[in-house]
Amino acid sequence: MKTRRERIAEMISETDMSPSEIARAMGMTVRDVLEDLVHISRSRKYGTLLVMPARCLKCGYTFSPDVKIPKKCPRCKGTWIEEPRFKIEKG
Ligand SMILES: [Zn+2]
């Protein structure tokens, strides 16, 4: 039996996914997905978590890579934000 985190790690070792995509695929809330991703990023057993940072779709501002979904762009104050995407690189 695989744990939920192992299943998430397995999914994103094949293709990069956003928290909303993972939440949909797993039947979880985005909040729980982000919590699992934080644990995955801190543990070595899953491999290395790569973060493709969130981006403002209005002005193109790129956020720093983080396991978070920003609400607002610091540059243009826009709220049209593309979620970060996550991928596991196996060591
Ligand atoms: Zn912006």
Side-chain angles (χ1 to χ4, degrees):
M1 224 355 224
K2 285 186 175 140
T3 67
R4 194 171 76 182
R5 285 174 195 162
E6 282 167 349
R7 278 162 39 220
I8 292 174
E10 202 171 87
M11 269 199 312
I12 60 174
S13 62
E14 280 158 26
T15 181
D16 60 273
M17 291 175 87
S18 70
S20 292
E21 289 168 352
I22 297 168
R24 224 173 296 132
M26 295 287 292
M28 294 166 62
T29 64
V30 170
R31 191 194 170 100
D32 286 341
V33 169
L34 290 172
E35 199 183 302
D36 281 352
L37 286 169
V38 167
H39 283 270
I40 289 169
S41 74
R42 287 180 186 156
S43 167
R44 293 193 173 192
K45 70 176 174 184
Y46 302 107
T48 306
L49 184 71
L50 306 178
V51 183
M52 283 138 261
R55 206 166 52 94
C56 173
L57 291 170
K58 196 171 160 197
C59 77
Y61 176 81
T62 301
F63 292 78
S64 52
D66 202 354
V67 187
K68 268 182 199 166
I69 303 174
K71 297 259 183 289
K72 203 170 168 187
C73 174
R75 191 158 79 189
C76 76
K77 312 294 179 209
T79 53
W80 190 26
I81 310 287
E82 182 179 64
E83 292 184 16
R85 301 185 71 81
F86 299 92
K87 191 169 193 311
I88 292 281
E89 188 134 282
K90 298 273 183 183

